[in-house]
Amino acid sequence: MTLIKTKYNRRSFLKVSTAAGGGLVLGFSWLASCTPTAEQIKSMPEDWFDINAFLKIGDNGIVTIMSPNPEIGQNVKTSMPMIVAEELDVNWKDVVVEQAGLDTQKYTRQLAGGSQSIRQGWQSLRMAGATARRMLLEAAAKQWKVPMDELTTEDGIINHTSGKKISYGEIASAAAGIEVPEEVNLKDTKDFKIIGTPTKNVDGPKLIKGESLFGLDYKRDGMLIAMIIHPPAFGMKLKSVEDSEARQMPGIKDIITINSLPEGIEKQWSDVNAFPNLVAVVGSSTWEVLSAKKAVKVEWEKITEGEDSSDHRSMLDGWVGGSDEKVARKDGSPDKAFKKAAKVVSQTYGAPFLAHNTMEPMNFFAHVTADQAELVGPIQTPEYLSKTASQVLGLPEDKIAIMMTRMGGGFGRRLYGNFAIEAAVISKQIQAPVKLIYTREDDMTQGTYRPPYQVKYEAALDENNNLTGFRVKGVGLNGSPIFENRFPAGAVDHYQADDHRLESNISTGAWRAPASNFIAFAEQSFLDEVAETVGKDPIDFRLELFERAIAKPVGADNDYDPERYAGVLKLVKEKSKWGSEIPGTSRGVSAYYCHNSYVAQVVDIKMESGIPRIQKVWCAIDCGIVVNPEGALNQVEGGIIDGIGHAMYSAMTFKNSQPEQNNFHQYRLIRHEEAPLAIETFFVENGIDPTGLGEPSLPPVAAALANAIYSATGQRVRQQPFVENMG
């Protein structure tokens, strides 16, 4: 067992009291999860449903956990309560969860991003369950007048060595009067019964039945529908509106102009919005508003010069190919190493803008009055939304209620809540409850794209083909792709990383596995090219570098563990039977570290009519303890398919700062028949605390695919999307 303090953060425990109808109510700050079954609802006190931020144990033995974390399909609504239930030692069938709204006084880190929900909540979630269990044990010991060390628990039952038993529900009221203990014992990982057991998504039945879960499903009596009209190109602002025809159309209530990001407010990092000045059309139904929107005539004026995709590429190429340096890290003497090199391998890699394209377009409900605001919808960053809404609406944060719905995809787009602020401003101006809905075209042309990147790699080799120097120079629009302290930093004596950003009026933001989604492709493709040049197997070449980093690491700031990194490569090599020939099949490999986790992948392909058909992806992952293997597999497989699809097919391009794609007939996504025929995933079992999993499987797969394409065709693919750069 592990002994931990429970009082290192007094905010953790908010309240201990007797629940209505009897039972223990333990408030704490970290929980998120499931939904009650019909049978559980029948036996549950109605008084419980209106309480926020509590772990509750009812007199019927049902455990209720409030869910403060946004759910975007990463399955925290199942995995987080599994952690609590494990330490509480209850039967999983007796656990239900209610969704909490934003409450910064009661909860911490109400955010979905960075693949950090489980990692950040691991200890505190365990502590919550263990603390409640300890209080129940203490109550039973007092009632029976026996030492607590004579008691054990199992599936919500307390057992005494004499054979006496009592359920959690029966002792819950007495436990309510027990003081929160100073410290509690956590289970040994070998004793886990719930953690590590494949468990179905608790929202699964509702998803299958199409029951209301998402923002687009949300309805309210008297609610109006709003849609926005934003400029056709970046670097433009509103000049005039002619709406007389649209105002006469059926169901139209108002047509207004709004400013969702006025001057003078303190912007949050999440306030990325290229189009704060908009036209909003408000009416009774989606179709009526959509029809009227087409009849509004808007004139825009240019405030910055337009940009073309060809110009972007020239700018990026110019910097990585030029002599300017923006040194982020330098080890040894890279210049000397390259001057002395017997051979230099040099290549450049690039990728375009990408849109997020969540299946559920942006939407949000708002009802703003003179003294309060209610906001409901899909948002990854409710706390930051609250801060901005407070300033824009002129209301204190405690007068703004934010409720999160399940999200039909996020991928970073819903970190930026401009659409929620727009809904709030519209509601305030029209003085009515309103749901704002983006069309696909609104969404795809609004911005906050993954930036385009370009990176140049150079490797210095001596006369014996030993790697003696390594340089990487990367640039992006509005951001750099370089992680200067990641591999192969620490494995090469003479190393230099340069990063730079060039400005653009096209807005950018986080996109699933930010920057890693590109740099993993470039780095791992280049390492294959170096391995080929020195005549070594690509896995063996990487493992040699890791051995260097293990035996004699260079520098003190390397942010990876070379032994764990090498471990996933060895595992995928073993499981895929790397080195054995598969008739008609070509293979590629890659490995990458991000979000505190390690992933190695092998991709098997067959070329059909010049296009790679992916037969299988082998994936080895070290993400520590896997809480829910079923949910974990879903995340891994989704990341792999997402990574393949965007590397192969997707791109946003611009002419005079106007997007040239606005829907799926122009922006290519992967089709079902293009997905891998099989994906097999292997998790490293090491007992280490969990790390990130929502994003790490995506970055390396593009390089494994590119390396497989080279194996099949002899052609290197160094620019994305692949389909436009093959042949």
Side-chain angles (χ1 to χ4, degrees), residues 82 86 192-199 625-630:
M82 288 174 67
E86 181 69 73
F192 286 164
K193 295 183 294 183
I194 296 174
I195 292 173
T197 299
T199 304
I625 294 168
V626 178
V627 175
N628 181 8
E630 181 159 320

Side-chain angles (χ1 to χ4, degrees), residues 402-419:
I402 298 178
M403 188 70 186
M404 292 87 74
T405 60
R406 188 180 181 95
M407 287 172 255
F411 315 119
R413 173 62 186 91
R414 289 186 162 103
L415 294 170
Y416 311 100
N418 62 288
F419 49 93

Side-chain angles (χ1 to χ4, degrees), residues 283-357:
S284 301
S285 71
T286 303
W287 179 250
E288 288 170 329
V289 173
L290 186 60
S291 299
K293 177 181 171 180
K294 297 174 182 177
V296 178
K297 298 177 177 61
V298 185
E299 186 178 4
W300 310 93
E301 59 182 329
K302 185 183 293 188
I303 54 176
T304 62
E305 288 302 313
E307 302 174 10
D308 293 351
S309 290
S310 58
D311 297 332
H312 295 152
R313 178 68 181 270
S314 297
M315 291 163 58
L316 298 175
D317 280 343
W319 195 83
V320 296
S323 58
D324 288 351
E325 291 186 348
K326 297 282 186 180
V327 179
R329 172 169 169 164
K330 181 183 283 190
D331 298 327
S333 302
D335 290 344
K336 290 182 180 178
F338 276 88
K339 285 180 181 177
K340 292 173 60 178
K343 187 182 300 180
V344 172
V345 183
S346 177
Q347 294 296 348
T348 301
Y349 304 83
F353 281 103
L354 292 179
H356 293 87
N357 285 332

Side-chain angles (χ1 to χ4, degrees), residues 567-639:
V568 291
L569 260 176
K570 292 174 182 177
L571 181 59
V572 84
K573 179 180 182 179
E574 172 200 339
K575 296 298 185 180
S576 69
K577 295 182 172 55
W578 180 265
S580 60
E581 276 200 31
I582 305 174
T585 299
S586 301
R587 320 187 89 180
V589 67
S590 68
Y592 194 67
Y593 162 84
C594 68
H595 299 87
N596 312 102
S597 295
Y598 303 81
V599 179
Q601 294 166 339
V602 169
V603 171
D604 294 344
I605 67 168
K606 292 182 178 180
M607 298 299 294
E608 297 179 7
S609 302
I611 298 295
R613 298 301 179 193
I614 300 168
Q615 306 302 297
K616 187 167 184 175
V617 178
W618 307 80
C619 184
I621 299 183
D622 182 349
C623 60
I625 294 168
V626 178
V627 175
N628 181 8
E630 181 159 320
L633 284 173
N634 291 339
Q635 291 189 75
V636 170
E637 292 170 0

Side-chain angles (χ1 to χ4, degrees), residues 214-229:
F214 300 94
L216 281 175
D217 298 324
Y218 190 81
K219 294 180 176 64
R220 179 71 65 82
D221 288 343
M223 181 184 80
L224 299 175
I225 299 297
M227 291 186 175
I228 53 96
I229 305 172

Side-chain angles (χ1 to χ4, degrees), residues 252-266:
I252 299 307
K253 304 298 184 182
D254 207 348
I255 297 173
I256 60 176
T257 60
I258 66 169
N259 184 357
S260 61
L261 207 58
E263 292 293 330
I265 72 165
E266 181 183 347

Side-chain angles (χ1 to χ4, degrees), residues 464-606:
N464 296 315
N465 276 336
N466 295 310
L467 179 63
T468 57
F470 195 93
R471 286 196 295 225
V472 56
K473 186 176 184 181
V475 64
L477 293 186
N478 302 329
S480 166
I482 298 298
F483 297 96
E484 65 272 13
N485 295 321
R486 290 188 185 171
F487 182 76
V492 185
D493 290 334
H494 306 287
Y495 169 89
Q496 181 171 328
D498 291 79
D499 69 348
H500 189 47
R501 56 182 290 160
L502 300 173
E503 299 304 316
S504 170
N505 65 13
I506 298 168
S507 66
T508 58
W511 192 97
R512 193 174 188 178
S516 295
N517 54 55
F518 162 72
I519 204 67
F521 151 68
E523 170 201 294
Q524 292 293 306
S525 295
F526 182 67
L527 288 177
D528 253 42
E529 299 204 42
V530 178
E532 182 185 37
T533 302
V534 301
K536 293 181 178 179
D537 174 86
I539 292 183
D540 292 342
F541 176 69
R542 288 168 172 83
L543 290 175
E544 287 178 14
L545 290 176
F546 287 128
E547 285 302 318
R548 288 196 209 176
I550 293 168
K552 193 177 178 182
V554 180
D557 297 324
N558 307 318
D559 64 0
Y560 63 93
D561 180 336
E563 293 192 43
R564 293 179 71 185
Y565 216 149
V568 291
L569 260 176
K570 292 174 182 177
L571 181 59
V572 84
K573 179 180 182 179
E574 172 200 339
K575 296 298 185 180
S576 69
K577 295 182 172 55
W578 180 265
S580 60
E581 276 200 31
I582 305 174
T585 299
S586 301
R587 320 187 89 180
V589 67
S590 68
Y592 194 67
Y593 162 84
C594 68
H595 299 87
N596 312 102
S597 295
Y598 303 81
V599 179
Q601 294 166 339
V602 169
V603 171
D604 294 344
I605 67 168
K606 292 182 178 180

